[in-house]
Every structure is written in structure tokens, then in C-alpha cells.
Amino acid sequence: MPAAFLVLFYLALTCAPLALAALQGHPPRPLRDELASGVALAGLAILLVEFALSGRFRVISGRIGMDVTMRLHQLLARAASMLILLHPFLYSGPQSLRPGLTAPGSTALNFDWSGLWPGIVAWLLLGAVMVMALGRDGLYRHEIWRALHGIMALVMAGLGVLHATRAGRYSGDPALWGFWWALFAIAVLSLAWVYAVKPLMKARRPWRVGSVTRLADRTWELCLDPEGHKGLHYLPGHFAWISIGKPAVSLNENPFSIASAPAEGGRLRFVIKELGDFTNRLGRVTPGTRAWVDAPFGSLTLKRHRKAGGVAMIAGGVGIAPLLSHLRQLDADDDPRPRVLFYANRAEEQIAYREELHRRGQTGPLRVVHVLSDPPEGWQGETGFVTSEVLTRHLDAEALKSWVFVLCGPPPMLHAVEDALLGLGVSARNILLEQFSYD
Ligand SMILES: Cc1cc2nc3c(=O)[nH]c(=O)nc-3n(C[C@H](O)[C@H](O)[C@H](O)COP(=O)(O)OP(=O)(O)OC[C@H]3O[C@@H](n4cnc5c(N)ncnc54)[C@H](O)[C@@H]3O)c2cc1C
């Protein structure tokens, strides 16, 4: 299904409540009251569809990209929150009350308590979810935030639907009533799929830690071996959710790009940088520990770029992981296309897989350009950051026109390189990008 269909489907879903309300043909109310109902209908629809935009559904993130999915999730959540938080203040107030008239279908506000309380609690919960999401880092562990975020969002959505169907002017109508509860059921099922069904499926395909090896400063290679099964079907550029030493059903799973190539067989290799509680403990994980893998995810693959004239890869630090998978698979396939790897690090000792990259550069059509922002004395490679000047020193006009560009690294670097590439005339369609954080 092309991405354009997904966009149309999304618009249809989120606009449907407004259309269903308009079709009911109720007598008109003051503009402010209609606006108040309209923003609530649109806001609730956007909010309910957010459960599908959690990044855990390949049908969506595999098409529009993980970064775009998460960015949309965040931006649309903000838009929906604004609409819903605004909604009670837009009503023209008690003066619009007329005796004897109550929602649904009435021209007056319905102040019946059974419809009001779910709305008030949902409204307060929404404020709390927003504050928690914006200030999530540093306050509590990421896993705790994820669990609270999911549970609170589901309770809030359920109460929001209850409020709409009991107190809303339009939502008591059978068609809209059915629509709301169907969307809510999908939201519940999507969480059940991610946190119950998928883990149970995962439990039938266990993995074991094969090795944990120190690669560079605070950077490790983790190898996982399939246990009693053939492993995973994946493409270079995909990432996996992994958990180690935990039950299959657990909130403790973290996303990591797969650095091995499918051609290597069942073993999966990851390049992992220490950052927080899970990654800091990696050096102490012993071979043989049980692990779980939920994969493949992501859209940093070359499957839509088979005809590209060459491949330019730009990695910042541990962003080398998915690019290694590409390099390894391209070599395994004897792909003759020229390729250049720009590998940016702060210091020389942070360069991972230096020998392997050098060897691939010697034996295949790969050129490796190391870029150090803090180079040692006598450094022969590029210095500073990956700028337009660095790019044009190693890529000619034909490459800028016909190659595919695969970027992975810290968000500020990625955006600077993307801007530089666009400025050099590279088509946005030829730029693939994955960042390791959605903050
Ligand atoms: C698509 C993707 C691919 C990634 N690939 C790699 C890789 O190949 N190598 C690598 O070193 N790092 C990679 N990361 C980053 C890696 O997931 C985090 O560094 C790791 O999860 C941190 O976990 P922690 O418990 O050590 O630290 P924490 O202190 O718990 O988290 C630090 C930060 O990491 C992020 N994070 C933590 N847990 C999760 C989670 N479950 N889901 C999403 N983000 C989380 C959050 O931004 C958090 O603020 C990738 C991230 C994403 C989203």
C-alpha cells in the first residue's frame, strides 16, 4: 500500500466524525458552540488514531519511516491536545442552556453529571500525559514512562469516548456512537498486540547472547544467536527491539539497529553505545543469557533504491550500525556500484571497526572518509564536521544527482547534513535518514 493511501486513510478516519455530525442535520447553534463541538470531535479522533502511530506497526513505519511516524505521533498529539484542552472554553456558556433540552441533538449544553465527569477526568489526564511526555527524560526511567504513557492514554481515550457519547450533541447518534467505540476498540487491540500478543509470539523464538565485545570507548558489539529456529528475515537498515535476561513479556526492551548482514546467517550483530541503565550494564552481560528479539522494523533500507547509481553513507558515531549492515550485504552481493562512507566521530579512538572498513575499502568499490571533530596531531583525514565542502570533495556532480544517501547519527548532525545535501541539489527522495532518538 503506497504511503499516499495511508495519508488518505488517516484523513478519512479523522474527518469522519465531523462528516457524520454534519449529516445529522440538527438545528444550528451559535458559531462558538458549533466550533466547541467541532474541535472536540476532531481532537478525539486524532487522539484515538495516535495508538496506531506508536511506531510499532510495520505497515505504517515501514512505509513512511520510523522518524516520520514518531514525529507525526508527537506533532499530532500536540495538535489534538490543544483542540481538546480548548474545547470546554469555546462554548458560549450557561446562557446557551435552554430548559428541557439536553444532548444529544439538543441546542443546549448538557450538564448532566454522568456525561460530565468522564470529560473532566479525561481533560485533566490529557494535561498530565502532555506534561509527562514533554518532561520525560531525567524524571523517571524510560520504561516507566512508556508504561505510564500507554496506560494513561488508554484510560483518557476511554473516558473521552464515554464523555462524547453521553454528553456530546452529535456523538449519541448511533453511527457516531459506533464509530467512537470502534476506534477505541482498535486502540485497545493495538496496545494488546504490542504488549501481549507480540511478546507471546516472541516467546516461541528465543535467542541467546553469543558474545559481548568492547569495540571502542563505551561502545560494544553484541551478538545474538537464534535458539532452535533459523533466525530473522530482515534487510540491511532494519532495527530490532531487544531485551536481555528478562521475561518475554516485559516492558524492558530497547531499539537497536542490526549491524550484521542477512548474508551472514542467523547471528545478529549490534553496535551499542553506553547511554543509560540498559546500555551501561551491557559489558556485564554473560554469553548464554536468554534474549528476545522483536523485528524487523524501520525504513532505512535500499529496497526502493535498487537503481541508484551509487550509495553514499554518512554515519555519526554509533550511527555506523545500520550502515555496516548495508556495507556488509553490498559486498556479500558483489554489488558493483561505487560507494562512499563518511564516518564522523569526535576522537580517533571512537572509530569502530576501523580495520574492517579499511579492508573493505581495499578490496571493494568502497571509499571510507573519516571525519574527526577533535583530531590528533598529524591526522590525515577530514576534520571538523560533515559539511557541504567535505561532501563535494569526495562526491562529484553525477553522484549528487543519481546516488542514494543513507544517513544515521545524532539528530543535530543528521539535520545539518540533510540541509547540506539539499543545498547541493540532492533530491529529498534520494535521502534516507534514521535518528536514534525522538526527543
Ligand atoms: C530506531 C532506533 C535505532 C537505534 N539503534 C541504536 C544502535 O544501533 N546503537 C545504539 O547504541 N543505540 C541505538 N539506538 C538508541 C538506543 O535505543 C538507546 O540508546 C537505548 O535504548 C538507551 O537505553 P538505556 O536504558 O541504556 O538508557 P535510558 O537512560 O533508559 O535512555 C536514554 C534515552 O534513550 C532513549 N530510549 C531508551 N529506551 C528506549 C526505548 N525503549 N525506546 C526508544 N527510545 C529509548 C530515550 O531517548 C532515552 O531518553 C536506537 C534508537 C532507535 C530509536
Side-chain angles (χ1 to χ4, degrees):
M1 196 196 321
F5 277 118
L6 281 179
V7 175
L8 284 179
F9 187 57
Y10 178 83
L11 289 175
L13 267 185
T14 48
C15 294
L18 289 171
L20 288 172
L23 287 173
Q24 290 170 25
H26 292 310
R29 294 178 302 175
L31 182 66
R32 275 188 68 167
D33 292 344
E34 293 299 353
L35 203 59
S37 293
V39 296
L41 292 173
L44 186 58
I46 296 173
L47 210 70
L48 284 163
V49 183
E50 282 289 277
F51 289 88
L53 289 176
S54 63
R56 299 299 292 257
F57 295 96
R58 239 172 284 157
V59 65
I60 300 171
S61 57
R63 276 174 181 77
I64 61 174
M66 193 65 177
D67 293 350
V68 177
T69 311
M70 296 317 292
R71 199 80 199 113
L72 278 177
H73 180 81
Q74 293 168 345
L75 290 176
L76 292 166
R78 280 172 211 175
S81 303
M82 288 304 147
L83 293 175
I84 292 172
L85 292 176
L86 198 65
H87 146 77
F89 298 109
L90 285 175
Y91 282 111
S92 47
Q95 68 274 17
S96 69
L97 274 171
R98 289 180 190 74
L101 289 173
T102 51
S106 84
T107 53
L109 287 180
N110 178 9
F111 283 120
D112 177 53
W113 187 241
S114 73
L116 209 54
W117 77 261
I120 295 173
V121 180
W123 193 87
L124 292 172
L125 262 178
L126 177 61
V129 171
M130 267 184 79
V131 171
M132 281 179 66
L134 293 175
R136 68 178 181 269
D137 281 332
L139 289 180
Y140 21 68
R141 283 180 53 217
H142 194 85
E143 290 74 19
I144 295 176
W145 173 75
R146 268 178 70 206
L148 283 176
H149 187 68
I151 292 167
M152 285 170 74
L154 194 66
V155 173
M156 175 185 73
L159 290 174
V161 171
L162 203 60
H163 169 67
T165 50
R166 284 184 180 171
R169 183 189 200 219
Y170 300 103
S171 299
D173 178 79
L176 200 43
W177 187 94
F179 178 84
W180 287 132
W181 286 113
L183 269 195
F184 181 65
I186 293 172
V188 174
L189 289 177
S190 66
L191 282 190
W193 170 257
V194 173
Y195 293 111
V197 181
K198 282 296 271 306
L200 289 174
M201 284 160 61
K202 208 166 64 172
R204 301 213 316 258
R205 294 167 64 81
W207 294 72
R208 289 238 173 251
V209 172
S211 62
V212 182
T213 317
R214 190 179 177 281
L215 286 174
D217 181 35
R218 298 177 61 223
T219 307
W220 301 86
E221 182 189 72
L222 166 73
C223 293
L224 298 182
D225 295 314
E227 202 181 53
H229 57 97
K230 285 197 177 129
L232 192 71
H233 287 289
Y234 68 99
L235 291 175
H238 274 144
F239 75 88
W241 290 84
I242 63 174
S243 63
I244 296 178
K246 302 277 179 203
V249 182
S250 157
L251 282 171
N252 290 284
E253 46 174 10
N254 297 62
F256 295 101
S257 297
I258 302 171
S260 46
E264 290 174 34
R267 171 168 273 207
L268 294 179
R269 291 199 269 170
F270 300 89
V271 185
I272 298 181
K273 174 113 187 165
E274 290 179 16
L275 189 72
D277 50 341
F278 172 72
T279 47
N280 285 344
R281 283 200 304 263
L282 202 58
R284 279 174 270 145
V285 169
T286 47
T289 308
R290 175 63 59 85
W292 306 105
V293 175
D294 182 12
F297 290 96
S299 59
L300 202 69
T301 67
L302 294 179
K303 66 178 177 195
R304 292 197 184 92
H305 296 272
R306 292 192 219 284
K307 295 202 175 116
V311 188
M313 300 178 211
I314 300 150
V318 75
I320 190 70
L323 306 187
L324 274 170
S325 180
H326 280 299
L327 289 172
R328 288 166 171 165
Q329 187 65 38
L330 287 166
D331 280 353
D333 290 343
D334 281 330
D335 191 311
R337 287 179 295 176
R339 33 201 182 259
V340 178
L341 169 71
F342 295 87
Y343 186 12
N345 280 288
R346 185 180 54 77
E348 194 174 10
E349 56 274 16
Q350 291 176 325
I351 302 174
Y353 297 102
R354 196 169 182 177
E355 279 80 41
E356 176 181 335
L357 293 173
H358 179 71
R359 180 172 43 76
R360 288 185 188 278
Q362 298 288 301
T363 54
L366 170 71
R367 261 182 305 135
V368 182
V369 179
H370 288 288
V371 185
L372 292 184
S373 57
D374 187 7
E377 220 164 289
W379 172 250
Q380 301 285 312
E382 293 282 359
T383 57
F385 299 108
V386 181
T387 57
S388 312
E389 291 72 33
V390 172
L391 290 166
T392 45
R393 260 199 292 279
H394 302 276
L395 297 169
D396 60 17
E398 181 52 35
L400 294 172
K401 202 171 112 209
S402 68
W403 286 23
V404 57
F405 293 78
V406 194
L407 282 53
C408 191
M413 173 198 158
L414 288 191
H415 300 305
V417 174
E418 188 184 20
D419 288 346
L421 289 172
L422 293 172
L424 290 170
V426 174
S427 159
R429 255 181 292 126
N430 291 342
I431 302 176
L432 305 176
L433 182 150
E434 184 160 88
Q435 58 189 49
F436 284 173
S437 140
Y438 307 123
D439 303 332

